[in-house]
Amino acid sequence: MSRPLIALFVLAALLIGYGTGHFVGSRPVASKPPAVHSIAKTPRPTAGAVTQTKEAEPPKVTTLAALREALQNAKEPYELAGEIKLAGGTNDFAAALRLCEEADNANGVLAIAEICGEWAKTDPQAAIAYSSTIANQVTRRNAMLAVIGQWVDQDFAAAAAYVKQLPPGALRNQASQELPGKLAESDPRAALSLIAELRPTGYSRESMFQSVFSAWSQHSPAEAASAAMQLGSAHDARSALTAALDSWAEQDLQRARQWVEALPESLLRNQAYGRVVEELATSDPAAAAQLAAKMTPGQLQYSAMSSIAMHWAGTDLQAALAWVQQLPAGRGHRQAQEALMNGLVQSDPETAAAVLANVGSQNEYLAYQVASTWAGVDLAKATQWALQLPAGMGRRLALNGVCDPMVQADPQQALQFVLGLHEEDGRSELLGSVISSWAEQDPQGARGWTL
């Protein structure tokens, strides 16, 4: 492609950018995966070095005078979050709320809910009476929810009675979320009756069952898991069983596994296996693989296999590869291989490239993931690897993956690189992407190149 024609590409990108207020250009076919950030170790101070004193945390706002000053001086929203700890009586809380209303700023609005929650610790009736009269709908809802959240800890029966008499709507639904899980700590079967009385739907219903069975499983895991299996609705049973087994597996994985293996064949048994396998995969992937083999083929089993592959690759890559390779061909094998590769790409893209070359994959997008992640670490090696791939979609995606880091580092080098490619490598598309990116990050430089 001639330089004049390329110049027209650049000018077009510049004109589009100036005309719309931002630059628009064709991007690589596949989206760029998130970058991997390593956590740097904090160096130990050497002898004679001056150690930096930890900055003292700001004092809590405990008086009306301190609150007035804080509201006046706060620069950012949420700056006072968690800082207001008034210890006065009703008059002090009422006065504090008046200060927040008078402040007429974001921190004042946000502080209202926090102060109402503090007030509810000593006088929930007065706090709910005030918060229910707030004019702004959002501020009123947040304040009332803060009060109810404290009230259920102080007097569950009174708080529950108040929530039940609220009119149907978003506030009642949100406030109800607190009730069953709290009651389940002492009486889980009464909590189930409460759910039936509240008659929640959708996500609220699912969340309530999860909170009840998670709390129940903390003190009676086998009883909670068995009760979940007996729920009339299959959807409710799945939500409840997931919560119960997740909690149980964290406490006593061996007993949870024994309970699951004793279950009769059913759809819920397969889900129970999946939950235990997910937990077991983090500590003993080989044992998890044996358990997953007993599951009924389907998405639950495939998800369990993916979890095993991902965790196993982090501790014993060769064993994980051997296990994935012996899986029967099909969706389960493909998902497990992709999970293994996805984890490996993020931790060690060079090894992922070697593995991909040896085992192959039906998912050509993996070539893009390897190339783009590796290019962020070692652009030269990633580029060399992409260029040696055989012609096809995998090579095109890999070349796509190295172009973005390349144009960020040196747009002219990226442009020359793309010009040296063949059309079957997606040269025209990559050229448009490089030019657009260059024009976006350095319009002067891109314009200068065309002159």
Side-chain angles (χ1 to χ4, degrees):
M1 188 177 291
S2 65
R3 178 169 172 140
L5 186 55
I6 299 168
L8 287 176
F9 268 107
V10 178
L11 289 171
L14 289 165
L15 289 171
I16 292 171
Y18 285 129
T20 62
H22 59 279
F23 291 97
V24 180
S26 62
R27 292 294 184 184
V29 173
S31 59
K32 182 182 176 184
V36 180
H37 301 284
S38 59
I39 301 175
K41 294 183 179 179
T42 303
R44 299 183 179 218
T46 57
V50 178
T51 57
Q52 195 171 17
T53 305
K54 183 180 179 182
E55 186 177 347
E57 294 184 0
K60 301 294 183 184
V61 177
T62 58
T63 66
L64 291 176
L67 177 62
R68 181 183 292 106
E69 182 179 356
L71 288 170
Q72 291 173 348
N73 297 333
K75 304 299 183 186
E76 300 291 337
Y78 299 101
E79 189 171 328
L80 299 183
E83 297 300 314
I84 302 174
K85 301 296 177 185
L86 298 176
T90 298
N91 291 335
D92 281 348
F93 283 115
L97 290 163
R98 283 194 297 273
L99 286 176
C100 293
E101 293 170 355
E102 292 166 2
D104 193 26
N105 59 30
N107 273 291
V109 171
L110 295 169
I112 288 175
E114 193 158 341
I115 293 172
C116 285
E118 288 293 309
W119 193 359
K121 293 178 180 179
T122 56
D123 192 347
Q125 296 281 0
I128 200 69
Y130 169 85
S131 59
S132 63
T133 64
I134 296 173
N136 183 275
Q137 182 180 1
V138 174
T139 306
R140 180 174 66 249
R141 183 192 64 205
N142 291 341
M144 292 180 72
L145 290 173
V147 171
I148 293 167
Q150 294 292 339
W151 199 358
V152 294
D153 291 332
Q154 307 295 323
D155 186 345
F156 180 85
Y162 180 82
V163 171
K164 290 177 187 178
Q165 60 81 43
L166 289 172
L171 175 61
R172 187 177 190 271
N173 290 341
Q174 286 182 271
S176 299
Q177 295 291 324
E178 298 275 350
L179 302 179
K182 183 66 179 178
L183 183 56
E185 295 174 6
S186 57
D187 191 343
R189 295 196 180 278
L192 292 181
S193 299
L194 179 59
I195 293 178
E197 182 182 353
L198 293 171
R199 293 188 295 180
T201 59
Y203 173 77
S204 294
R205 183 178 185 86
E206 182 177 340
S207 178
M208 286 184 187
F209 274 107
Q210 288 176 345
S211 63
V212 166
F213 281 85
S214 181
W216 195 348
S217 189
Q218 290 295 317
H219 53 81
S220 302
E223 182 181 298
S226 298
M229 298 281 288
Q230 295 166 13
L231 291 175
S233 162
H235 187 273
D236 293 344
R238 287 193 295 270
S239 299
L241 185 61
T242 295
L245 282 174
D246 284 352
S247 177
W248 193 0
E250 289 177 4
Q251 300 171 61
D252 190 340
L253 180 56
Q254 187 58 32
R255 288 186 182 277
R257 178 181 178 179
Q258 291 171 354
W259 183 86
V260 167
E261 291 188 289
L263 290 174
E265 183 70 35
S266 69
L267 288 175
L268 284 176
R269 173 181 179 270
N270 211 38
Q271 176 161 343
Y273 261 94
R275 302 316 302 173
V276 172
V277 168
E278 290 272 354
E279 184 67 27
L280 187 58
T282 63
S283 57
D284 190 347
Q290 294 177 354
L291 201 60
K294 299 178 182 180
M295 296 176 68
T296 304
Q299 189 53 49
L300 285 171
Q301 186 193 49
Y302 305 154
S303 296
M305 289 176 171
S306 296
S307 181
I308 293 167
M310 181 181 66
H311 288 292
W312 206 346
T315 57
D316 189 340
L317 177 59
Q318 294 306 315
L321 281 170
W323 176 72
V324 169
Q325 288 302 98
Q326 59 80 43
L327 291 174
R331 189 173 177 183
H333 174 271
R334 185 169 65 254
Q335 288 188 9
Q337 185 185 67
E338 290 172 4
L340 182 151
M341 289 298 300
N342 286 336
L344 187 58
V345 164
Q346 299 302 320
S347 61
D348 188 348
E350 186 169 1
T351 299
V355 170
L356 187 60
N358 290 331
V359 304
S361 174
Q362 294 178 335
N363 183 0
E364 293 166 319
Y365 178 64
L366 286 173
Y368 171 84
Q369 289 183 289
V370 170
S372 61
T373 305
W374 194 0
V377 180
D378 191 328
L379 179 58
K381 284 188 175 181
T383 303
Q384 183 181 6
W385 174 77
L387 287 170
Q388 58 81 37
L389 291 175
M393 183 56 70
R395 175 186 168 95
R396 290 185 64 162
L397 289 173
L399 291 170
N400 202 323
V402 300
C403 268
D404 190 44
M406 191 181 293
V407 77
Q408 297 300 320
D410 188 338
Q412 292 197 44
Q413 179 191 353
L415 198 58
Q416 294 302 325
F417 171 74
V418 171
L419 289 173
L421 298 176
H422 299 290
E423 193 55 43
E424 59 263 28
D425 292 329
R427 181 176 62 182
S428 296
E429 183 178 341
L430 286 174
L431 183 61
S433 178
V434 168
I435 291 172
S436 176
S437 295
W438 187 8
E440 185 175 351
Q441 73 183 52
D442 182 12
Q444 294 296 333
R447 189 188 306 115
W449 189 88
T450 66
L451 299 177

